[in-house]
Structures are given as structure tokens and as C-alpha cells.
């Protein structure tokens, strides 16, 4: 019987495909854009899942030549600021993650 994570991963793959959002390689498993440990209310929300390969998962989690925020911003650019805001504000205000990104003159900016 599939675990809760496996069921969620299947739904993420069904919605967004099984390829890494960055390099289009096979994705091992989806990444939680808003970490499930910090935001348990978003843990099993399909829209919070991002298919990424292990290499890019490590970069998002630990950084690399570029800071972690760079990779998070790339996801927002690919998914859209509306996706980010809808997901962020789906939480009650007291649980809401601080705003990291916004759109200005048609470009995604980092706060």
C-alpha cells in the first residue's frame, strides 16, 4: 500500500510531470517548495510539490555556487508569481511564510 508521501508524489507527477523543473532529467521525487517541517499545513498540497532531480534538490536544500534563494526564485519564475502567492496565502495569516518574492515591471524580484 502506498505511503502518504507516495500518494502525494504521484499526484504531483500527474499534475506537473516527472521531469526536473530545471534540467528535464527524471525526477526522483518531488520537493516541497514550502518545507513540510515548517509548514505542515502545506505538506500534502499538490501545488506545493515541485518535481526536481536529486542534483537540483541538493542545490535548493544546501546551495551551491549560487545561494539557495536563487533556486527558489527560479521555481517561482517557472511556476509564476500567482502560483507562489496563492500557495503562500492559502495558510492562515499567523502561519503564513514571510513573502520572499514579488513582481515589479514584469520581473520576479527577491525581497
Amino acid at each position: 500500500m502506498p505511503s502518504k508521501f507516495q500518494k502525494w508524489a504521484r499526484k504531483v507527477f500527474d499534475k506537473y510531470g516527472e521531469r526536473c523543473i530545471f534540467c528535464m532529467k527524471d525526477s526522483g521525487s518531488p520537493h516541497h517548495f514550502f518545507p513540510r517541517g515548517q509548514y505542515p499545513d502545506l505538506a500534502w498540497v499538490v501545488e506545493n510539490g515541485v518535481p526536481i532531480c536529486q542534483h537540483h534538490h541538493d542545490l535548493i536544500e544546501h546551495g551551491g555556487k549560487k545561494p539557495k534563494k536563487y533556486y527558489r526564485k527560479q521555481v517561482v519564475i517557472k511556476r509564476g508569481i500567482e502560483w507562489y502567492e496563492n500557495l503562500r496565502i492559502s495558510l492562515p495569516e499567523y502561519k503564513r511564510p514571510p513573502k520572499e518574492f514579488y513582481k515589479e515591471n514584469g520581473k520576479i524580484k527577491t525581497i
Side-chain angles (χ1 to χ4, degrees), residues 69 81 84-85 88 96-103 111:
K69 201 168 208 176
I81 195 74
Y84 167 76
E85 275 301 315
R88 194 179 77 78
R96 202 170 287 162
K99 192 171 188 173
E100 288 180 82
F101 307 101
Y102 65 99
K103 194 170 190 175
I111 293 178

Side-chain angles (χ1 to χ4, degrees), residues 9-11 20 24 27 31-32 38 40 42 54 56-57 61-62 65 76 83 87 89 91 99-100 106 110:
R10 175 53 25 217
K11 289 177 184 176
C20 176
M24 298 307 292
S27 171
H31 170 72
H32 289 85
Q38 288 177 270
L42 292 176
Q54 188 61 51
H56 284 103
H57 186 272
E61 291 294 318
H62 309 293
K65 291 180 181 177
V76 175
W83 162 82
L87 191 55
I89 65 172
L91 291 170
K99 192 171 188 173
E100 288 180 82
T110 305

Side-chain angles (χ1 to χ4, degrees), residues 55 57-69 71:
H55 171 72
H57 186 272
D58 292 344
L59 291 174
I60 286 177
E61 291 294 318
H62 309 293
K65 291 180 181 177
K66 296 176 180 166
K68 292 190 292 187
K69 201 168 208 176
Y71 297 99

Side-chain angles (χ1 to χ4, degrees), residues 8-9 15 49 73-74 77 87-88 92 94 102-103 109:
W8 173 79
K15 182 167 186 162
K73 181 179 178 184
Q74 296 309 304
I77 289 169
L87 191 55
R88 194 179 77 78
Y94 72 96
Y102 65 99
K103 194 170 190 175
K109 302 281 188 170

Side-chain angles (χ1 to χ4, degrees), residues 24-61:
M24 298 307 292
K25 290 183 180 174
D26 285 336
S27 171
S29 63
H31 170 72
H32 289 85
F33 183 81
F34 290 110
R36 64 183 178 170
Q38 288 177 270
Y39 304 102
D41 292 352
L42 292 176
W44 310 117
V45 173
V46 171
E47 290 74 16
N48 192 36
V50 181
I52 56 176
C53 65
Q54 188 61 51
H55 171 72
H56 284 103
H57 186 272
D58 292 344
L59 291 174
I60 286 177
E61 291 294 318

